[in-house]
Amino acid sequence: MLRKLFAQQTILKRSYTTAPQSFQVFDRYAKRLQKDRAASNAEESRTVDYLKDEIAARVADRFLDIKRDLDTVVDLGSGCGHIAKHVTKDMMKKLIMCDMSVSVERLQVDEEALPFPENSIEAVVSSLSLNWVNDLPGSLIQIKNSLKPDGVFLGAMFGGDTLFELRTSLQLAEMERESGVSPRVSPMADSSDMSRLLTRAGFSLPTVDVDEIQVNYPSMFELIEDLKAMGEKLHGNSDGSIPATFQIIYLIGWKPSENTPLAKKRGSADASLKDVL
């Protein structure tokens, strides 16, 4: 069924939106153009892939904790194949890469309108692509519905503390110059929010953990040049480099099935944790 669907490359417009359609945080068309532009300059894009590759490696490593043979896994928002670089045949037999960019030679799929039939996929993985969807609960519901019973979803997203050094510097500069603050960094989810959203989407046994990656830049990118022009100073290191912290939220959720382990009733334990410890 999946093979026939991919051959036709039919995009089914299914809506699971739980928020008003008029409320759009992100311009999806602009986001696609950004991805197209990055894909058109492959040489330059590869020089800045170190962060995505590192996070993809940590996501792929979590497949080792899944003790089952996976035939087909869908990589949602694959980009140039960051996940594919780090998976082996021992983890899965087939990886289907999907991306919304028309410049990437993959199955073109928008994370807000998945084309997969219900109960058709064993596993879905997404590394840093769900940050830019307008209806995150709806996308998670679509992912859950496309999974087979007892299928698994693994994901990674930027957390709310990402680039806090940059945001703090911008806020201090704007407060001094403009007596007010404007949003300069895209809104990001909190780890506690993601746990609730996984449960709300219908996933069982949701697991959320948080990690941080700090990159020290010899100089800041375009936004920081504005601060330098205003004579502002960033939170820098003693050697003059500029730290940028990326908070990563890792997600795991399972589609419920008759084999899904269930928590026992409160008070049903026959051993005391106090005795064990």
Side-chain angles (χ1 to χ4, degrees):
M1 182 184 297
L2 279 176
R3 184 177 300 174
K4 181 179 180 181
L5 175 69
F6 297 147
Q8 295 175 345
Q9 293 196 11
T10 301
I11 304 298
L12 303 180
K13 298 297 183 181
R14 299 186 297 176
S15 177
Y16 294 86
T17 303
T18 57
Q21 291 286 344
S22 58
F23 184 71
Q24 299 289 309
V25 179
F26 303 106
D27 187 333
R28 297 291 291 172
Y29 177 72
K31 188 61 186 176
R32 198 195 78 185
L33 292 180
Q34 292 173 358
K35 288 194 170 189
D36 290 344
R37 185 163 54 248
S40 64
N41 192 343
E43 183 177 354
E44 182 179 0
S45 295
R46 297 300 81 80
T47 62
V48 295
D49 276 348
Y50 53 88
L51 180 63
K52 291 184 177 180
D53 284 341
E54 174 62 27
I55 296 172
R58 300 186 185 192
V59 173
D61 186 61
R62 283 161 167 75
F63 275 106
L64 298 175
D65 297 327
I66 301 176
K67 306 302 181 182
R68 66 173 62 177
D69 296 327
L70 297 174
D71 289 325
T72 302
V73 176
V74 169
D75 181 4
L76 196 59
S78 63
C80 67
H82 305 286
I83 292 288
K85 297 177 184 178
H86 303 285
V87 297
T88 64
K89 291 184 178 180
D90 295 333
M91 298 178 182
M92 62 198 69
K93 294 181 180 178
K94 183 179 181 181
L95 180 68
I96 300 174
M97 293 185 285
C98 307
D99 198 272
M100 67 184 298
S101 172
V102 296
S103 298
V104 178
E105 294 182 2
R106 307 285 187 266
L107 181 66
Q108 186 183 357
V109 172
D110 190 327
E111 294 90 346
E112 294 187 348
L114 302 186
F116 311 113
E118 294 188 7
N119 305 314
S120 62
I121 304 171
E122 290 179 286
V124 174
V125 60
S126 176
S127 182
L128 303 182
S129 70
L130 294 179
N131 285 92
W132 321 117
V133 299
N134 288 295
D135 183 17
L136 183 55
S139 293
L140 290 174
I141 291 173
Q142 292 186 64
I143 292 173
K144 189 265 296 182
N145 288 343
S146 67
L147 289 171
K148 294 180 179 179
D150 209 27
V152 62
F153 164 64
L154 287 84
M157 300 177 59
F158 285 127
D161 288 338
T162 295
L163 296 177
F164 71 87
E165 303 95 342
L166 171 61
R167 286 185 292 174
T168 301
S169 298
L170 287 170
Q171 290 171 1
L172 290 174
E174 284 193 304
M175 284 296 296
E176 181 178 340
R177 295 294 192 269
E178 306 292 340
S179 299
V181 176
S182 299
R184 301 293 181 180
V185 179
S186 297
M188 301 175 193
D190 186 75
S191 57
S192 59
D193 295 333
M194 292 312 304
S195 180
R196 288 191 290 267
L197 286 177
L198 285 174
T199 302
R200 176 182 172 185
F203 286 99
S204 63
L205 305 176
T207 303
V208 177
D209 62 287
V210 180
D211 196 6
E212 288 187 352
I213 298 176
Q214 187 176 85
V215 181
N216 292 320
Y217 292 90
S219 61
M220 263 302 176
F221 26 86
E222 291 78 7
L223 286 177
I224 306 308
E225 295 300 326
D226 293 341
L227 287 178
K228 290 181 178 179
M230 290 188 292
E232 296 296 333
K233 185 177 181 180
L234 294 173
H235 300 287
N237 296 322
S238 57
D239 61 358
S241 62
I242 305 298
T245 300
F246 298 89
Q247 183 187 54
I248 315 301
I249 302 175
Y250 298 97
L251 316 169
I252 300 179
W254 299 81
K255 184 169 183 176
S257 74
E258 58 182 13
N259 298 322
T260 301
L262 299 176
K264 292 186 176 181
K265 293 183 179 180
R266 186 179 181 89
S268 62
D270 53 9
S272 173
L273 184 60
K274 180 176 65 175
D275 297 335
V276 175
L277 299 177

